[in-house]
Amino acid sequence: MLPTGAATAAPAAATSDFNGDGYADLAVGVPDGTVGGHAKAGYVNVVWGGPRGVGAHGSIRVTQATPEVPGTPEAGDRFGAAVTLTDLNGDGIAELLAGVPGEDVTDRGTDAGMVIAVGGSKDGPGPGSTVLTGPSPSAAYGKSVAAAHLTGGDNKAIVVGGTDKVVARVIVGEDSMVTTVVAAPMGGRAPVLATGDFDSDGTPDLAVAYWTAGTPHTQSHVRLWKWDAERSEMANFWNTDNAGVTALAAGDFDGDGHDDLALGECREIADENIDDPCGPEKLAKGGGIHLHYGSPASGSFGTRAQTLNQDTAGVPGVAEDGDRFGAALAVADVDRDGRDDLIAGAPGEAVGSKAKAGAAWLLRGGAKGLLDAGGGARSVAWNQDTPGVPGVAEAGDIFGAAVAAGDHDADRTPDVAVGSPGENASLGAAWLLPKGAPGGSVAFSPRTLGLPYLGTAQKYGNPLNSR
């Protein structure tokens, strides 16, 4: 029986099905991977879903040496620094979007960067094309990438993050255009992107987070943008300032039909103590997750908020400096109760005496969101010493550096994937937790998947993408 007020959650269609077999696939970006002898040329490993989930049905390796993929593998390209599997045109087969921030572009300079789209098909990777290239040296287009129906049309807009800039390529009618969303100092970090319907108008919006400190000045923002059809550009409609975050995720955690926004590893950058942008300061220790809840169209987004960390009742563990709780986030209704759950990684978590072994949490949604009326959470945690999870927790594994969720075995219940790029001397690996539980978990890596790795540090397992 469903809790009072929760709606039955319809199974989400697999938007990450790259080979059209009906199973959600998993994209693993390996920007540190060596290709053709070129260090950090980078590749993307698409791991096939199937009756036994991902890791048991093989995979393919997509590089700039793959036929019809633009470009040539070169040292430092970092192909796969950002990855998204998404069905751009609604044909039921996903396309792969891959960021290549180190790409040198003729007439635009060194590290101008680019984003490439690779078509999926039942016969393997289809034709590839260039989505956007950076306009100048060090523009580093492809540090981050996202896609959604931002204009309300049939085709998805593609959002690209680079150095101090976020731009969107949108299709309006028969026309394609590129519009700048925001240009501001971002401290050399990749801008953080997420999409969701935050104003409850039926059309997805864009969340952007970025921060810098010191030079040229300190600033930090999480901003929401929507498509303005009259002006043919993205319009900013909501902000929270002084908050620096590492991850963002959108989901309906209280089951009220309105999207909420989770801010991962939230910390107050400008020490002005004006609005407590990340909630109570004590809950930022070790990394805090701050939530802004959606409201009906007549209300205001974000007026209701919650904050939690490892010192919150119901969250396993103890908040310690350097845990990085919330540094990676993913969303899925794992328990199928009509309310989204949040998967959170803490790659800096110590397991016993093993520093930075890393861990991940499943935080369950409820009638009040991720916290109940008494301020407590319902959650479970996993690491490599958890019974049923393969492997052994070791210092520097950084298990939980990336997390993702998708129904990889098509049983109508989401599965959870966790990346550990520090595993095996930074060769890296990823774990599948079927139905978000350790029972039946499997691990896979370049070695087990038969990928070339030459014994070098590939840091496999970050980033991850599925849905």
Side-chain angles (χ1 to χ4, degrees):
M1 180 177 293
L2 290 171
T4 303
T8 302
T15 60
S16 61
D17 181 6
F18 190 63
N19 61 353
D21 65 354
Y23 294 94
D25 303 315
L26 177 71
V28 184
V30 193
D32 283 348
T34 298
V35 179
H38 303 288
K40 297 186 179 181
Y43 66 91
V44 177
N45 183 212
V46 180
V47 188
W48 302 129
R52 291 183 290 161
V54 291
H57 301 279
S59 69
I60 58 168
R61 184 173 184 252
V62 181
T63 78
Q64 286 185 281
T66 301
E68 298 192 77
V69 173
T72 302
E74 297 169 311
D77 279 349
R78 294 183 57 79
F79 181 89
V83 293
T84 296
L85 281 174
T86 184
D87 184 1
L88 292 171
N89 56 14
D91 67 355
I93 297 179
E95 286 75 36
L96 169 67
L97 298 178
V100 200
E103 181 79 8
D104 299 339
V105 180
T106 303
D107 299 328
R108 301 196 178 194
T110 303
D111 295 342
M114 68 193 312
V115 169
I116 292 172
V118 181
S121 76
K122 294 182 178 180
D123 299 320
S129 61
T130 300
V131 175
L132 280 176
T133 55
S136 58
S138 301
Y141 275 24
K143 284 185 175 181
S144 49
V145 65
H149 294 285
L150 299 178
T151 65
D154 293 334
N155 293 293
K156 290 184 177 179
I158 299 172
V159 184
V160 174
T163 299
D164 300 336
K165 201 169 188 180
V166 175
V167 299
R169 179 177 178 179
V170 299
I171 297 175
V172 182
E174 300 296 322
D175 299 322
S176 175
M177 61 179 292
V178 177
T179 181
T180 297
V181 179
V182 60
M186 298 177 183
R189 303 171 191 83
V192 184
L193 309 175
T195 60
D197 183 10
F198 304 114
D199 61 358
S200 300
D201 68 351
T203 301
D205 310 307
L206 174 68
V208 179
Y210 56 95
W211 63 276
T212 187
T215 303
H217 55 272
T218 296
Q219 65 170 8
S220 45
H221 303 283
V222 177
R223 294 186 166 181
L224 301 184
W225 303 77
K226 65 184 299 181
W227 179 250
D228 185 330
E230 291 186 3
R231 301 178 64 179
S232 292
E233 63 182 19
M234 298 296 290
N236 176 223
F237 69 91
W238 184 89
N239 302 315
T240 180
D241 298 327
N242 301 333
V245 308
T246 306
L248 294 172
D252 183 8
F253 304 116
D254 56 6
D256 67 352
H258 304 287
D259 279 351
D260 315 312
L261 182 65
L263 283 57
E265 200 184 3
C266 192
R267 74 283 251 174
E268 186 172 351
I269 300 299
D271 188 18
E272 299 175 11
N273 295 313
I274 295 174
D275 55 3
D276 287 326
C278 297
E281 185 175 351
K282 65 179 183 179
L283 294 179
K285 183 176 183 180
I289 298 174
H290 190 58
L291 299 119
H292 289 280
Y293 285 89
S295 300
S298 58
S300 176
F301 175 83
T303 54
R304 188 171 78 86
Q306 294 178 337
T307 309
L308 58 94
N309 72 354
Q310 287 190 71
D311 286 344
T312 299
V315 178
V318 176
E320 298 170 309
D321 291 338
D323 284 344
R324 306 197 62 210
F325 181 71
L329 298 175
V331 173
D333 183 7
V334 175
D335 57 12
R336 307 286 294 119
D337 68 348
R339 299 173 177 124
D340 280 329
D341 309 310
L342 185 68
I343 301 106
E349 175 80 0
V351 178
S353 62
K354 292 141 186 174
K356 298 183 180 179
W361 281 255
L362 174 64
L363 301 150
R364 301 191 185 279
K368 299 292 184 180
L370 295 188
L371 300 180
D372 59 26
R378 293 184 303 128
S379 67
V380 294
W382 318 291
N383 59 59
Q384 287 190 67
D385 284 349
T386 300
V389 176
V392 176
E394 299 171 307
D397 281 346
I398 54 175
F399 182 88
V403 292
D407 184 7
H408 299 293
D409 56 4
D411 69 350
R412 300 168 62 92
T413 301
D415 310 305
V416 172
V418 181
S420 178
E423 177 77 8
N424 290 333
S426 293
L427 172 63
W431 274 253
L432 173 74
L433 285 76
K435 301 178 178 61
S441 295
V442 296
F444 49 94
S445 70
R447 184 179 296 139
T448 65
L449 292 170
L451 302 173
Y453 59 90
L454 307 176
T456 59
Q458 305 287 287
K459 298 182 181 177
Y460 184 95
N462 186 24
L464 302 175
N465 181 264
S466 181
R467 189 63 179 172

